[in-house]
Amino acid sequence: MYLILIFEIVIVTCLIGYMIQKYCSKDVSIYVKGMALVSWLINFLLLLFLPFDIYITYRDQSVGSISNDYLSLAETYQILYWTNFILCWTVIPIMQEYEESVELDKRDKLKKALKNNVRFYIIISVVGIVFVLAIFYTGQAQQCGLGTFLKSMANSFGVALIIVLLGYGLVIIPKAQMRTSQLDVQMKYLYFRTASINGEKDDAHHKLLETSMKVFQIKDQRFDNDDMMYYLNKCLNMIPRNMHKILKKEEEKRKSQILMTITGAFFKNKGPESVEEMMNLYQEIRKNSLEYKRIKAQWKENCKSAYEMEDIIKAINSQEKKVQFSFKKPREGTFAQKLDILEWHWLCVIKPQLKVIISLTFGILSILVLISEVTIFMGTQFTIFGLPLRYVDGLLSISFYSFIPLLYIAFCVYYGLFKIRIQGFYGLYGDHQTDAPSLMFATINFSRVGAPLCQNFLNMIKLKQETAFRYAMGNIELLPIFGVSITALMPCLLIVLCLINYFDLFDKTLQLIGMKQFIFNNTFSDRLIFEGRDALKLNRQYFERKMKPEGWSDSSEPYDIELQQKLMY
């Protein structure tokens, strides 16, 4: 049992380290990555221990005594939970604000981080006081200690977050697999994403250009304050190299007497007069520069996927059974032809059919999870995922029947967490585009759903015996205000959330009220499909001329060149 558990911990640790390294930008500090690794690992350990916990509980019931494994696991749960609790509610939020701060002195950065978090703690304290009064009013003060109260609050928040994310993941994951099983539909979606990202990239480029103009106008100024000179150099380093040409061209126009009268009002800028103003300018250009780099990376990756999909669709009726990729070097060697044939069968035949099977499997699991969550609200003893556990025996069997549904629920929740991107603020971005504050933001949310996921799963399988997890946590559903109302009412709301996400009402509502930055994904549009297709046609010739067959050059920026030509003329 312990060898299997150690093996799982090693595998999970390696995967977490790989994911953090894949998402983090190069300038993220090693201690930030280390904190994220520790917090993510603690969160996943809670999930890994749960199947073994269920097995130990059934085993001890059969012998009629509590084993040392049970007690040791309960103590481990206590250590993991309170370590995770302190990290995700105190340490990591302070680290997030610390990394977001631009002050030069570390003490000033720490003071600002503490100051920004004090507001959050005040709100939490006020809410806590209200519920403490409610506890005394309902006569439950003797049954509830401080530890139980804190666990109940954290569990309530976690369950609410889980239900929101499940409402998204249970619907979108099967839909995404079914959509990508049809190559023509996937091609249309890539066309749509191309046009959508082009629009976002245009906006991000314009914002960065405006901010860069403010910096470029004061680049030759000499400030008496060394801190202001430091921030000025930092601002100049944030301007992309290809944008310097545009700014120099605009500066030459500005110096012209004729254009001076036309554009004088626009370019009139006294520049920052204090360190605080220079810091604000640096924060603005850093934010805009980072957003532009992220969207540019998404644009490159989307174009790459779109061109590859076009090549795959063209090769469906190929007599040679070979996919001729536009931007990949052809294979060479003895087994090249056989590998090309295998690749053609995988991409054109097997993979689309496999995605249909995966989509149907995920769809069935989503329905079963939805029914199981609703049974929590109904208060019935009927259980779907807990039924096989009553008729199997042995570590492997019990671990299998408990781990598979738990893994899928966790996958749906974490899928939603990876998709949360507050535009202009935080989110997880691939291709090394995630900065330290965004990584800390994701770590906070990851850490706050681990223990509630375990509690929610135990409620779904309806074990009559007390597991080591529940023994360690205590009755965190004791409080009617928290435990019963949240853990029983929220699963019922899951049906509404699933319907909202199935018909894309969530994204449409946010767009309607002007809160697009909180949208999980963009709404499909036929108009953008044609725009994306035309944009890819225009860019394909440029890529074929400029790109190397082995990969994608970072200097390629056809969309920026079009913008430059518009600005120059």
Side-chain angles (χ1 to χ4, degrees):
M1 179 177 74
Y2 292 106
L3 290 177
I4 296 175
L5 188 59
I6 293 173
F7 176 75
E8 290 180 350
I9 293 174
V10 172
I11 296 297
V12 169
T13 303
C14 294
L15 289 175
I16 293 173
Y18 169 76
M19 290 173 61
I20 292 175
Q21 189 64 28
K22 176 183 177 182
Y23 279 87
C24 283
S25 60
K26 297 179 180 179
D27 58 346
V28 175
S29 304
I30 186 67
Y31 81 92
V32 174
K33 295 180 181 179
M35 181 58 69
L37 176 64
V38 171
S39 183
W40 288 25
L41 182 59
I42 292 175
N43 182 67
F44 283 111
L45 284 178
L46 293 172
L47 299 176
L48 287 178
F49 288 162
L50 196 61
F52 292 92
D53 185 9
I54 297 173
Y55 163 73
I56 292 173
T57 302
Y58 275 112
R59 187 194 65 183
D60 291 354
Q61 182 196 13
S62 62
V63 298
S65 63
I66 297 178
S67 64
N68 291 330
D69 292 336
Y70 182 94
L71 298 176
S72 299
L73 188 57
E75 293 178 359
T76 304
Y77 276 132
Q78 285 278 13
I79 296 173
L80 292 176
Y81 180 83
W82 285 114
T83 302
N84 185 64
F85 184 92
I86 294 172
L87 289 179
C88 70
W89 290 99
T90 57
V91 178
I92 299 179
I94 294 175
M95 287 181 61
Q96 179 186 356
E97 293 293 341
Y98 182 87
E99 291 296 323
E100 185 75 26
S101 176
V102 297
E103 276 74 6
L104 295 178
D105 189 75
K106 293 183 179 180
R107 289 175 296 181
D108 293 336
K109 295 181 70 172
L110 183 58
K111 289 179 182 178
K112 185 174 181 180
L114 292 172
K115 181 180 178 181
N116 291 340
N117 277 276
V118 163
R119 303 170 186 172
F120 171 75
Y121 296 138
I122 290 175
I123 297 174
I124 293 296
S125 300
V126 171
V127 175
I129 291 173
V130 171
F131 285 107
V132 167
L133 295 175
I135 292 171
F136 279 98
Y137 180 77
T138 55
Q140 301 181 44
Q142 296 180 353
Q143 306 175 40
C144 178
L146 178 61
T148 303
F149 176 71
L150 293 176
K151 290 176 184 177
S152 297
M153 292 185 66
N155 180 69
S156 301
F157 178 86
V159 170
L161 183 59
I162 287 171
I163 296 303
V164 172
L165 296 173
L166 268 181
Y168 175 78
L170 292 177
V171 174
I172 296 301
I173 291 176
K175 283 180 64 176
Q177 293 299 318
M178 184 61 71
R179 182 187 62 204
T180 54
S181 67
Q182 301 174 349
L183 299 182
D184 57 337
V185 176
Q186 188 175 359
M187 189 73 258
K188 290 180 180 180
Y189 180 75
L190 289 172
Y191 286 152
F192 157 75
R193 284 291 298 156
T194 300
S196 178
I197 295 176
N198 275 347
E200 295 175 5
K201 190 167 177 288
D202 192 357
D203 294 337
H205 186 278
H206 180 70
K207 290 180 181 179
L208 179 58
L209 185 61
E210 284 188 341
T211 311
S212 300
M213 285 180 177
K214 297 178 184 178
V215 176
F216 208 74
Q217 292 173 53
I218 60 173
K219 65 181 178 64
D220 296 326
Q221 292 188 22
R222 292 295 176 264
F223 299 98
D224 296 333
N225 193 310
D226 294 337
D227 291 346
M228 295 186 70
M229 290 300 302
Y230 172 82
Y231 284 116
L232 176 59
N233 292 328
K234 295 278 287 184
C235 290
L236 290 171
N237 292 333
M238 285 291 168
I239 302 176
R241 285 179 295 178
N242 60 349
M243 196 170 287
H244 278 273
K245 299 178 181 179
I246 308 174
L247 297 172
K248 289 180 180 179
K249 193 74 175 180
E250 292 297 331
E251 189 178 34
E252 292 177 0
K253 289 182 180 181
R254 185 165 56 91
K255 291 179 179 179
S256 173
Q257 292 297 329
I258 298 176
L259 293 176
M260 189 69 176
T261 57
I262 302 175
T263 61
F266 179 78
F267 285 102
K268 187 177 180 180
N269 186 7
K270 296 181 180 180
E273 298 180 353
S274 64
V275 177
E276 288 74 17
E277 292 182 3
M278 186 66 79
M279 288 170 55
N280 293 334
L281 181 61
Y282 172 62
Q283 282 183 319
E284 181 182 357
I285 194 171
R286 186 181 69 169
K287 172 186 171 183
N288 293 338
S289 177
L290 185 60
E291 186 69 17
Y292 176 69
K293 288 179 181 179
R294 288 169 175 171
I295 296 177
K296 185 172 68 173
Q298 294 177 27
W299 176 81
K300 288 183 178 181
E301 186 64 29
N302 185 82
C303 287
K304 179 181 178 180
S305 301
Y307 289 134
E308 288 183 355
M309 183 54 59
E310 287 182 342
D311 296 334
I312 292 172
I313 292 177
K314 290 179 183 178
I316 291 178
N317 298 321
S318 173
Q319 297 290 338
E320 301 177 354
K321 296 187 183 302
K322 178 181 178 180
V323 181
Q324 297 284 353
F325 290 106
S326 302
F327 306 113
K328 284 186 179 180
K329 187 177 180 179
R331 291 189 179 91
E332 298 177 356
T334 307
F335 301 100
Q337 184 178 3
K338 293 182 180 180
L339 291 175
D340 289 338
I341 294 175
L342 288 175
E343 183 182 51
W344 181 88
H345 280 284
W346 167 251
L347 295 175
C348 299
V349 181
I350 300 175
K351 187 177 180 180
Q353 296 177 358
L354 182 61
K355 281 182 172 291
V356 174
I357 298 174
I358 294 175
S359 175
L360 294 175
T361 304
F362 284 167
I364 294 173
L365 285 173
S366 294
I367 294 173
L368 294 179
V369 170
L370 183 60
I371 295 174
S372 298
E373 291 284 0
V374 173
T375 58
I376 299 176
F377 170 76
M378 296 173 61
T380 177
Q381 291 301 314
F382 172 76
T383 173
I384 295 177
F385 296 124
L387 190 62
L389 298 175
R390 300 173 182 176
Y391 300 98
V392 297
D393 193 13
L395 173 62
L396 295 180
S397 299
I398 292 178
S399 298
F400 175 80
Y401 284 109
S402 57
F403 185 73
I404 294 301
L406 178 62
L407 178 64
Y408 182 71
I409 295 171
F411 174 64
C412 291
V413 172
Y414 294 135
Y415 182 85
L417 285 174
F418 270 87
K419 289 294 182 179
I420 291 180
R421 292 176 181 176
I422 305 177
Q423 188 173 4
F425 293 94
Y426 307 118
L428 283 173
Y429 302 87
D431 196 21
H432 305 286
Q433 297 298 321
T434 302
D435 61 343
S438 294
L439 179 63
M440 292 291 94
F441 172 79
T443 302
I444 291 171
N445 289 302
F446 264 67
S447 302
R448 290 176 180 175
V449 299
L453 262 176
C454 296
Q455 180 71 16
N456 180 254
F457 182 73
L458 291 175
N459 288 337
M460 291 171 60
I461 62 177
K462 297 180 172 62
L463 281 181
K464 297 180 180 179
Q465 302 80 13
E466 185 179 52
T467 60
F469 178 84
R470 284 185 166 167
Y471 176 78
M473 295 295 103
N475 190 1
I476 59 177
E477 299 178 350
L478 173 67
L479 308 179
I481 300 175
F482 285 104
V484 176
S485 62
I486 294 296
T487 59
L489 180 60
M490 289 302 293
C492 181
L493 298 178
L494 185 61
I495 300 177
V496 179
L497 293 174
C498 288
L499 292 175
I500 288 175
N501 283 286
Y502 182 82
F503 294 104
D504 294 325
L505 298 178
F506 179 76
D507 293 345
K508 293 177 181 178
T509 303
L510 290 180
Q511 282 184 335
L512 183 64
I513 63 179
M515 299 178 65
K516 295 188 293 183
Q517 66 269 28
F518 295 100
I519 291 177
F520 283 100
N521 56 356
N522 293 325
T523 306
F524 208 70
S525 171
D526 293 333
R527 177 181 60 83
L528 294 179
I529 293 176
F530 298 105
E531 292 183 7
R533 183 189 60 185
D534 295 339
L536 286 170
K537 286 182 180 179
L538 293 174
N539 291 332
R540 174 176 279 275
Q541 186 178 3
Y542 179 90
F543 284 129
E544 289 175 350
R545 185 175 70 254
K546 294 293 184 181
M547 298 301 237
K548 296 179 181 180
E550 292 80 9
W552 292 68
S553 173
D554 291 337
S555 61
S556 305
E557 199 62 44
Y559 192 67
D560 285 346
I561 289 177
E562 293 178 4
L563 288 174
Q564 291 176 20
Q565 292 175 349
K566 292 178 181 179
L567 290 167
M568 291 172 62
Y569 298 100

